[in-house]
Amino acid sequence: MKRHQPVLWNEVMAALSPRSGGTYIDGTVGSGGHASGILERSRPDGRLLGMDRDPQALNVARQALEEFGSRVALVQGSFACLADIARSRSCYPADGILLDLGLSSMQLSMPERGFSFQLDGPLDMRFDTTSDTTAADLVNRLPEAELADLIYRFGEERRSRRIARAIVRGRPVQTTYELASLVARAVGRRGRIDPATKTFQALRIAVNDELNVLAEGLRQAEEALAPGGRLAVIAFHSLEDRIVKEYFRSRSRAGQAAGQSGLHIVTRKPIRAGPDERAANPGSRSAKLRVAEKPG
């Protein structure tokens, strides 16, 4: 099975340095691209726990990683519960942990998931398709002021009030095309970036509680790391990256205080995709990799 190579693949492998006998956790296993690299490099007996909130992604990963047999365990779950899941699967502590926070190309390419404004589908946007709240629920039920605040906070969209007003007037809004059209009519089109980009980002973050999940996931990952283990996090927008940056900084300061282990920051500045990767995969342009290590 041909694997899609995910962003910053080489850089992640260098950061985690998988080795034989090591234990690793991919908290966002997706289609298994990073996980396969970790398993290849940790032959013959390195182990990996792959987690994902998306059951469809896990099905793809299960096929992609089948050749590694019992060396890999796949679990549906949030990395906000990473430490407990790792304990239950005897993958605690771990020598390396990866959190790739981006949407996968698979998720974006499926209209029925509702993540893309370029494909018409229901306004869903749930990573875990068994959870209750969809993007349509937020778009059609929230009061105008709350909807505007959500779009401003999670999308960093300066025109949030105008967009929220247009959405409320256009209710009910059921599909991605309907929503994208309302946003475009409300604010117009400027430049190459679709005007609905930030609104879709905001709704996806809210539906999946992504920022709170990330904050807890970082704490869980630090707990689950073995001494000398590394945590690598790939963020794709400023809200995520700010949380990762501040967490690493605060835990680094804690590590300098008496009686606390904390974290050592490996990457003082985030690692970005090189020109060849950016040219081959435009989605990598916004990716930022930060790495921290638990002192041994």
Side-chain angles (χ1 to χ4, degrees), residues 3 35-36 39-40 42-50 61-75 89 91:
R3 299 187 185 99
S36 66
L39 287 160
E40 287 281 2
S42 63
R43 289 185 185 274
D45 56 355
R47 297 183 304 134
L48 180 130
L49 169 63
R62 194 166 284 113
Q63 295 180 53
L65 303 175
E66 185 178 17
E67 66 180 277
F68 299 105
S70 61
R71 292 176 57 212
V72 58
L74 297 175
V75 178
R89 294 292 176 139
C91 291

Side-chain angles (χ1 to χ4, degrees), residues 5 8 15 35-36 54 69 123 135 146 149 182 188 190 197 201 214 219 235 239 246 252 259 269 285:
Q5 183 151 311
L8 296 170
S36 66
D54 186 341
L123 273 175
E146 289 185 29
D149 288 346
L182 283 170
R190 303 174 193 171
T197 300
Q201 172 185 300
L214 173 57
R219 289 189 286 270
L239 293 174
E246 289 306 315
S252 175
K269 292 184 178 180
R285 292 171 186 168

Side-chain angles (χ1 to χ4, degrees), residues 129-152:
T129 51
T130 66
S131 61
D132 294 329
T133 303
T134 68
D137 294 328
L138 299 181
V139 162
N140 291 302
R141 295 178 186 174
L142 285 180
E144 182 179 321
E146 289 185 29
L147 185 58
D149 288 346
L150 183 155
I151 295 169
Y152 180 80

